[in-house]
Amino acid sequence: MRSLPQIVLLASCLLGQSLVGALPSGDYAYSVKEEIEAPRGWAKHSDPSPEHKIVLRIGLPQPNFHVLEQHLYEVSDPDHERYGQHLSKEEVEELVAPHPETLDLVNEWISSFGLTEDDLVRSPAKDWVTLRLPVSLVEKMLDTKYHVWQHSQSGEYLVRTTSYSLPSILHGHIDAIQPTTSFGRFKKEKSNIFSATPIKDSPIAASINEPFHDSVSGVTVDASCNQTITIKCLQQMYNAVGFTPSAAGNSIGITGYLVRAGIPSFWIKNANPRIPQEQFANNQDLQSFFADQRPDALNSTFKFISVAGGLDNQTLSAAGDEADLDIEFAFGLSHPIPGTFFSTAGRPPFIPDTGETEDSNEPYTTWLDFILAQKDIPLAISTSYGDDEQTVPKSFAQRVCADFAQLGARGVSVMFSSGDGGVGDGDANPATQTCFTNDGTNRTAFIPGFPASCPFVTAVGGTTHFPETAVTRFFSGGGFSNYFSRPSFQDKVVPEYLKNSLPKGTYAGLFNPNGRAIPDVAAQGDLFKVFVGGEAFLIGGTSASSPTFTGFVALLNDVRLKAKRPPLGFLNPFIYSKGFQGLNDITVGHNSGCGTPGFNTSKGWDPVTGFGTPNFGILRELVLTI
């Protein structure tokens, strides 16, 4: 094991043991820990049943996270002598472990409500504590009152509060508790303007045009690719024709959400059409896709992993558009690299007054709990879901982002779709975008997306057609975080964009020019031919862009592994220092939203398409120079 800085190792302390000096007698005076205004678009609907179950997650401080972050940047910086020397699971856990005093204080507080160690689950590093409790007990623990809230536009319901308190002595020992003040809706990043269109109903005709040749990238692309995107089109556009990965030691993963641990009959009978669709990855659809676009992959499949009871419904009628899109293109591009689909149960469609008494937290945290506990993790992982950043409390977003940093330190490349709302609120329909802040002032502002705004993930925007432009049918999510400051790897290119490509004063007050800027890169995101439920469709959205880019990252990892080198891991330091040389710069288009044209593309990095789309032929050479 490599030498790590000396840190204080945590001391395990079970509930029920004597905790001398932990919480002084009588020192349980509560004070408000977090308070928000009711988010725009949400209204109180009713009181939840006292027995309504909440999966409560308590995030404990990580006093040595700054050391982990230092390791992350060193092993991810191509110019650093430690590049590629990723940390082990155990090394990462040492660096995020809470202080023993924190464990003692929080344990005693929890035990004061009659709970024992058997009632909770701890993360491997003990930095998260999870309890499944009735809302009546949670209200006592947090000195608060929960309500059922309804979202006016979608009709969805959440059980949340707008304020909670803790014993004053615990404020410095607990970073965040959820679900409390989080009103995120966790949407799939698939365009609402141009979504799933059956091939038979679309105006696609056989092209008789000559192929397109791009003198800049040096690639030739079939003219039909401006009507339908296939695996062959992406291989042509991104200069990967003829490359065959060996798959030795390599891996790629897709995360799937919006699935339940069980589907009660009352929900099936009374399903609200506005409730998110179940997302099951269907193997029969994958075989249809392979037969159509990747015949050498026929009869191959993916590994299914259930997280927190996520189901694997292989009934053709249950196939999910998002799940099928992700696996078909990510695994189709990277074949024969082994693929894994993670089905995470979470955020069930809670319906008041139907007997449903279960509620869950934001599901990407459930997946993070699971994946960080694993010894072996796919080397490149794509997620096509996200929230509006402002709907996730800052304290909670920062803790979730820190978990993604753990993945990067362990050598995993994590990609997220940048969103389909342009600079707007995640709603791809300009007519229904609100673009108001949730801080009670109702100011007009651009709305960045999360987790794409986390600096420890690679955010992927969308392009269309060839030669490529920023998407016109929907809008590549991009902009600047209000929660995360600009990371050092962006210190050169972002100020250059703001100075040279954005006239002074443009959008003043609508965005945070000092925030983490997104996206980092881009890929095609429109007119993707997929098979869902046995039928061919065209689908658009940055949820197509992220698995596409991830497929090429898996191919680049293959190049590295063949050369006996470690995988790429956290990509952003490489992209901003060297990798941009292997990306196709997109200089046409913008990302409208909030009643504005949004940001424009430009030469170099821009908050619409990042540095651009992959040129695999150049990138495969670049990754062997580091």
Side-chain angles (χ1 to χ4, degrees):
M1 178 182 294
R2 289 178 296 281
S3 174
L4 291 175
Q6 295 298 310
I7 62 174
V8 178
L9 298 180
L10 66 90
S12 296
C13 182
L14 297 179
L15 297 178
Q17 293 180 334
S18 175
L19 301 174
V20 178
L23 277 174
S25 177
D27 197 359
Y28 278 84
Y30 273 68
S31 58
V32 174
K33 172 68 173 176
E34 190 166 35
E35 187 171 18
I36 66 168
E37 294 285 337
R40 189 181 182 92
W42 290 92
K44 288 182 182 178
H45 174 270
S46 58
D47 291 336
S49 163
E51 296 306 312
H52 174 84
K53 297 298 189 300
I54 288 181
V55 181
L56 195 70
R57 291 173 53 83
I58 304 172
L60 308 184
Q62 303 166 331
N64 291 292
F65 178 78
H66 66 288
V67 181
L68 172 73
E69 188 175 17
Q70 178 184 343
H71 281 291
L72 171 64
Y73 280 111
E74 289 180 357
V75 303
S76 306
D77 180 357
D79 293 323
H80 199 281
E81 61 182 1
R82 291 187 59 210
Y83 179 72
Q85 297 178 29
H86 303 118
L87 305 186
S88 69
K89 174 179 180 289
E90 292 74 18
E91 288 172 329
V92 168
E93 288 169 2
E94 284 185 4
L95 290 168
V96 298
H99 192 279
E101 180 186 10
T102 291
L103 291 172
D104 289 350
L105 288 168
V106 173
N107 286 348
E108 184 163 319
W109 170 63
I110 292 174
S111 66
S112 71
F113 292 92
L115 301 170
T116 70
E117 189 73 17
D118 292 338
D119 295 313
L120 55 84
V121 176
R122 298 184 189 273
S123 63
K126 296 184 171 59
D127 56 329
W128 285 102
V129 177
T130 304
L131 305 98
R132 182 177 178 273
L133 303 171
V135 68
S136 56
L137 178 54
V138 176
E139 290 176 336
K140 292 179 181 178
M141 294 177 68
L142 304 183
D143 190 25
T144 189
K145 177 71 176 77
Y146 278 78
H147 293 91
V148 177
W149 295 78
Q150 184 176 24
H151 189 252
S152 59
Q153 182 181 331
S154 68
E156 296 175 23
Y157 297 92
L158 288 174
V159 177
R160 296 292 189 266
T161 181
T162 55
S163 173
Y164 71 92
S165 300
L166 289 171
S168 298
I169 195 174
L170 290 182
H171 278 229
H173 296 277
I174 292 177
D175 281 343
I177 301 181
Q178 291 297 338
T180 50
T181 57
S182 176
F183 283 78
R185 294 174 50 220
F186 199 62
K187 304 174 292 295
K188 45 186 181 167
E189 302 293 8
K190 179 174 66 64
S191 170
N192 293 325
I193 291 178
F194 188 71
S195 54
T197 303
I199 291 286
K200 63 184 179 182
D201 296 332
S202 66
I204 294 177
S207 175
I208 58 174
N209 295 329
E210 291 296 319
F212 293 103
H213 179 75
D214 186 343
S215 59
V216 177
S217 63
V219 302
T220 300
V221 177
D222 291 345
S224 62
C225 296
N226 275 335
Q227 298 172 313
T228 309
I229 292 295
T230 63
I231 293 292
K232 181 181 178 181
C233 289
L234 294 172
Q235 290 171 333
Q236 291 177 351
M237 288 181 179
Y238 299 147
N239 199 12
V241 174
F243 179 81
T244 302
S246 68
N250 204 353
S251 53
I252 182 172
I254 294 293
T255 61
Y257 298 98
L258 303 185
V259 294
R260 295 166 58 87
I263 306 176
S265 59
F266 75 81
W267 181 75
I268 296 174
K269 293 176 182 177
N270 303 313
N272 183 332
R274 293 185 294 181
I275 287 172
Q277 172 193 8
E278 299 291 304
Q279 287 299 320
F280 301 112
N282 187 271
N283 186 57
Q284 186 174 335
D285 282 334
L286 181 63
Q287 299 309 312
S288 297
F289 178 83
F290 284 160
D292 183 66
Q293 300 186 31
R294 192 77 201 245
D296 60 319
L298 267 171
N299 299 319
S300 68
T301 187
F302 54 92
K303 181 179 181 181
F304 172 86
I305 294 182
S306 172
V307 180
L311 301 179
D312 184 23
N313 186 344
Q314 286 297 311
T315 304
L316 202 57
S317 61
D321 53 357
E322 180 64 65
D324 276 1
L325 164 65
D326 289 353
I327 64 166
E328 288 171 10
F329 276 89
F331 301 160
L333 283 167
S334 60
H335 177 77
I337 296 170
T340 299
F341 180 79
F342 297 93
S343 177
T344 303
R347 214 207 71 178
F350 172 71
I351 305 174
D353 306 321
T354 58
E356 179 68 24
T357 60
E358 181 75 21
D359 196 8
S360 74
N361 200 10
E362 290 75 5
Y364 43 73
T365 58
T366 302
W367 178 79
L368 280 165
D369 281 348
F370 173 86
I371 202 69
L372 289 172
Q374 307 306 306
K375 195 80 172 178
D376 297 314
I377 303 175
L379 298 178
I381 299 175
S382 173
T383 301
S384 295
Y385 296 80
D387 288 319
D388 299 339
E389 186 183 67
Q390 67 173 0
T391 66
V392 183
K394 184 176 181 179
S395 60
F396 191 56
Q398 289 173 330
R399 280 306 308 268
V400 172
C401 186
D403 283 353
F404 289 119
Q406 295 183 51
L407 286 174
R410 290 176 60 179
V412 179
S413 302
V414 180
M415 273 60 67
F416 269 87
S417 300
S418 70
D420 292 345
V423 295
D425 64 353
D427 187 341
N429 186 345
T432 54
Q433 284 190 346
T434 54
C435 302
F436 292 107
T437 61
N438 272 347
D439 59 5
T441 64
N442 284 333
R443 292 180 295 108
T444 300
F446 293 165
I447 309 296
F450 177 80
S453 65
C454 170
F456 305 127
V457 307
T458 299
V460 186
T463 63
T464 188
H465 295 132
F466 189 85
E468 292 182 273
T469 68
V471 178
T472 54
R473 293 179 188 269
F474 58 94
F475 312 105
S476 180
F480 300 82
S481 172
N482 294 310
Y483 286 179
F484 302 99
S485 60
R486 182 191 304 145
S488 59
F489 55 77
Q490 292 188 323
D491 278 345
K492 182 176 184 294
V493 299
V494 172
E496 286 181 354
Y497 175 85
L498 295 175
K499 178 182 178 180
N500 300 326
S501 301
L502 195 66
K504 187 175 182 180
T506 302
Y507 302 144
L510 295 182
F511 72 98
N512 172 24
N514 299 312
R516 186 277 203 258
I518 55 175
D520 304 298
V521 295
Q524 285 280 315
D526 201 356
L527 302 168
F528 276 56
K529 183 181 181 182
V530 300
F531 287 80
V532 182
E535 187 176 355
F537 288 85
L538 294 183
I539 289 182
T542 52
S543 39
S545 306
S546 183
T548 294
F549 191 85
T550 304
F552 285 97
V553 173
L555 298 184
L556 293 172
N557 275 336
D558 193 83
V559 172
R560 298 263 309 166
L561 294 170
K562 281 180 181 176
K564 308 300 181 185
R565 301 186 185 184
L568 290 166
F570 176 41
L571 290 172
N572 294 357
F574 164 68
I575 290 170
Y576 284 80
S577 63
K578 290 180 170 62
F580 68 88
Q581 300 171 63
L583 297 173
N584 306 310
D585 195 7
I586 310 302
T587 59
V588 178
H590 55 88
N591 56 355
S592 302
C594 302
T596 75
F599 297 107
N600 289 321
T601 57
S602 71
K603 185 176 181 180
W605 180 90
D606 58 66
V608 186
T609 58
F611 274 115
T613 61
N615 184 321
F616 179 75
I618 298 176
L619 286 169
R620 67 184 293 188
E621 301 300 326
L622 279 175
V623 299
L624 291 179
T625 66
I626 56 177

